[in-house]
């Protein structure tokens, strides 16, 4: 037909979902075109999400740890922050290395990258419009939609660069004196942690009655306690009722349980109230792909949409909007197209908030068990009894395991504390392998490590614990 390029697999979007699908399909011998509107590959996660946020959170951790060593006899003084260097380290040494690496990997695999914004024109063709207006028509036998998501805007917020989404906050234009974070979810608390460490007075407003509503409250408590100490304020059960941009600041009114009575003035506002999928901006209707009213695309266990040769993966297919879910789905879609008999069968997907302390959870939560009336057993090991936690002066943690009451198998886990995200992996594996409390309690863990707390929690449940500390 009228195609400029043809391929067996067209992947729309080059985030963790898209690049993984493209690379896997190419490795399986398929001819692949990868379409991306931005100049670098990697999507939200590598360019303006997971990776730059973790770089800045590392900086934050170095600063706060240095601040808190005074009572063991060390003091470093106030940090001297060179924002230009910090930004350039994040952009060039971290993000740039990864996105550049992706471009090389695409080339090495023979994946053709077509730059521009893609809009389906039919079930077998997409038109890609480059920045200079040039249109490339890509014909395909199969497609994988991995167009991701974007930040939800605050309804009625004025158009002002001081009212930012996560991308604006990661750009780190300056260190504001006073900043309001709207939304006490993962993005709000991670970015709040960064700005607090850099010296900003941070306030968080959350309309639900607690921070990170999806996690168990016992995990949130140590984080909230620490944030209440460091931040200017944490206002739960409270809403922003108006936002006004004036020359000298953003004026904000609140209503609700913890609302300040007077109008507050902030130098910057971060809006982090969730993300919405990009399903409505890709011409899906021309390909016959069904998109719901919010922009999500429904798929089956093989990641197939209602159109049998068109697949969808990642944030655009629904919650949880996490990079490791997208990459896992990506492999399934590519393998199904290559003729493998596979499905998405992961039993659990871990969640981690890289705050200080970190919060990590997987599988059934206690709250869920309660609301669904599921009988469970649980064991929670307090880090105040861990020699390692004491020796690094971070005892405000806990490792909790949730067991099936009958089989004693691990069906959920929650960890709060430094490095909780790394520690969770053992529990995720335990759930996937059907391990029970014996399996974890009888596995010798190195001493003294924080990973021992997983073993200690299992021993607590078994009643065999003797070796506290
Ligand atoms: P995306 O990464 O959103 O990629 C979609 C790509 O498609 C984009 O590059 C976009 O430009 C392109 N695209 C869209 N439409 C078109 C079109 N019409 N034509 C051409 N190209 C198009 N997740 C974690 O697991 N861990 C974290 O620590 C974490 N931290 C985060 C921090 C922040 C600040 C944010 C915002 C998100 C974070 N996430 C994290 C979420 C994670 O970034 C997403 O889940 C992940 O990027 C989703 O991958 P994806 O492939 O579905 O889509
Ligand atoms: P979120 O859904 O995690 O949190 C949004 C919060 O804002 C919720 O607590 C919600 O109750 C609150 N909220 C919504 N509207 C509000 C309003 N008008 N006023 C006050 N509070 C309001 O969304 P967030 O933090 O924007 O992140 C989006 C997604 O990005 C996450 O859900 C996650 O999938 C992904 N992400 C993952 C990270 C990780 O894995 N470490 C890090 C950052 C983002």
């Amino acid at each position: 037909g009228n195609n400029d390029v043809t391929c067996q697999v067209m992947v729309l979007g080059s985030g963790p979902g898209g690049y993984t699908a493209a690379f896997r399909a190419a490795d399986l011998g398929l001819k692949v075109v990868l379409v991306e509107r931005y100049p670098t590959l990697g999507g939200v996660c590598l360019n303006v999400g997971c990776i730059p946020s973790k770089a800045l959170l590392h900086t934050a951790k170095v600063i706060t740890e240095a601040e808190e060593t005074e009572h063991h006899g060390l003091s470093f003084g106030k940090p001297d922050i060179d924002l230009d260097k910090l930004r350039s380290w994040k952009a060039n040494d971290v993000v740039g290395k990864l996105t550049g690496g992706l471009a090389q990997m695409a080339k090495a695999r023979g994946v053709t990258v077509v730059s521009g914004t893609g809009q389906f024109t039919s079930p077998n063709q997409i038109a890609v419009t480059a920045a200079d207006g040039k249109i490339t028509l890509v014909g395909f036998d199969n497609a994988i939609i991995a167009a991701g998501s974007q930040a939800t805007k605050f309804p009625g917020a004025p158009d002002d660069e001081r009212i930012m989404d996560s991308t604006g906050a990661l750009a780190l234009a300056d260190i504001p004196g006073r900043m309001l974070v709207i939304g006490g979810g993962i993005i709000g608390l991670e970015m709040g942690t960064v700005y607090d460490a850099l010296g900003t007075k941070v306030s968080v407003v959350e309309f639900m009655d607690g921070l990170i509503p999806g996690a168990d409250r016992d995990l949130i408590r140590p984080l909230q306690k620490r944030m209440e100490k460091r931040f200017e304020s944490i206002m739960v059960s409270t809403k922003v009722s108006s936002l006004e941009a004036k020359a000298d600041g953003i004026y904000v009114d609140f209503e609700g349980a913890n609302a300040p009575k007077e109008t507050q003035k902030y130098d910057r506002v971060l809006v982090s109230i969730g993300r919405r999928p990009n399903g409505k901006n890709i011409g899906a209707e021309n390909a016959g792909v069904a998109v719901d009213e919010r922009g999500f695309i429904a798929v089956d266990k093989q990641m197939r949409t209602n159109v049998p040769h068109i697949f969808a993966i990642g944030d655009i297919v629904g919650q949880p909007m996490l990079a490791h879910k997208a990459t896992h789905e990506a492999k399934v879609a590519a393998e199904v197209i290559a003729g493998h008999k596979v499905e998405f069968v992961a039993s659990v997907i871990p969640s981690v908030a890289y705050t200080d302390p970190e919060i990590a959870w997987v599988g059934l939560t206690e709250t869920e068990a309660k609301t669904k009336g599921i009988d469970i057993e649980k064991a929670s090991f307090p880090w105040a009894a861990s020699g390692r936690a004491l020796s690094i002066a971070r005892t405000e943690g806990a490792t909790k395991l949730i067991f099936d009451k009958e089989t004693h198998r691990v069906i959920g886990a929650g960890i709060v504390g430094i490095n909780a995200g790394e520690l969770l992996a053992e529990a995720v594996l335990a759930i996937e392998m059907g391990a029970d409390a014996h399996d974890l309690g009888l596995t010798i863990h190195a001493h003294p490590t924080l990973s021992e707390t997983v073993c200690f929690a299992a021993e607590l449940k078994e009643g065999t614990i003797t070796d506290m500390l």
Side-chain angles (χ1 to χ4, degrees), residues 189-201:
L189 298 186
E190 287 188 357
M191 293 315 300
T193 301
V194 168
Y195 278 87
D196 163 68
L198 294 175
T200 299
K201 283 188 181 157

Side-chain angles (χ1 to χ4, degrees), residues 183 185-187 190 206-208 213 272-274 321-322 352 354:
I186 299 194
I187 292 185
E190 287 188 357
E206 162 64 53
F207 69 7
M208 303 289 277
S272 48
I273 57 172
M321 291 190 180
L322 296 173
V352 180
Y354 299 87

Side-chain angles (χ1 to χ4, degrees), residues 53-54 154-155 182-188 190 205-208 210-213 238-240 271-275 319-322 324 351-354:
S53 62
K54 264 78 260 176
F154 191 81
I182 307 180
I186 299 194
I187 292 185
E190 287 188 357
V205 56
E206 162 64 53
F207 69 7
M208 303 289 277
L211 302 174
I212 315 187
T238 304
K239 277 203 281 214
V240 166
V271 177
S272 48
I273 57 172
R275 295 181 62 81
Q319 302 287 349
M321 291 190 180
L322 296 173
H324 44 276
S351 296
V352 180
Y354 299 87

Side-chain angles (χ1 to χ4, degrees), residues 4 8 35 53 79 82 95 127 145 178-179 183 191-192 203 232 271 304 306 339 400 415 459:
D4 299 309
Q8 289 167 296
V35 177
S53 62
D82 181 338
V95 173
I145 301 170
R178 204 167 178 230
M179 180 165 97
M191 293 315 300
S203 293
E232 186 176 358
V271 177
R304 219 183 276 274
N306 60 309
K400 176 169 77 173
I415 308 180
E459 288 186 302

Side-chain angles (χ1 to χ4, degrees), residues 45 48-61 166 169-170 172 179 181 183-198 202 204 211-212 223 227 231 234 270 272 322 324 351-361 421:
C45 182
V48 289
C50 329
I51 300 300
S53 62
K54 264 78 260 176
L56 296 181
L57 279 159
H58 173 69
T59 304
K61 190 171 171 187
S166 51
L170 287 165
L172 207 61
M179 180 165 97
V181 173
I186 299 194
I187 292 185
L189 298 186
E190 287 188 357
M191 293 315 300
T193 301
V194 168
Y195 278 87
D196 163 68
L198 294 175
V202 178
V204 178
L211 302 174
I212 315 187
L223 173 69
M227 283 188 163
F231 289 15
I234 307 269
L270 165 61
S272 48
L322 296 173
H324 44 276
S351 296
V352 180
Y354 299 87
T355 42
D356 185 15
E358 291 184 353
I359 303 201
W361 69 102

Side-chain angles (χ1 to χ4, degrees), residues 19-73:
Y19 73 73
T20 305
F23 293 176
R24 184 77 184 121
D27 288 346
L28 293 170
L30 297 165
K31 188 175 175 217
V32 181
V33 166
L34 178 58
V35 177
E36 172 57 56
R37 60 185 168 183
Y38 290 138
T40 56
L41 302 180
V44 169
C45 182
L46 268 65
N47 291 287
V48 289
C50 329
I51 300 300
S53 62
K54 264 78 260 176
L56 296 181
L57 279 159
H58 173 69
T59 304
K61 190 171 171 187
V62 171
I63 295 172
T64 46
E65 291 218 323
E67 279 169 8
E68 290 171 11
T69 49
E70 223 162 278
H71 67 287
H72 32 119

Side-chain angles (χ1 to χ4, degrees), residues 212-221 361 364-368 400 402:
I212 315 187
D216 278 339
R217 294 303 93 189
D218 55 341
L219 302 179
I220 299 299
R221 225 166 284 127
W361 69 102
L364 190 72
T365 65
E366 240 186 300
T367 319
E368 252 178 293
K400 176 169 77 173
I402 292 172

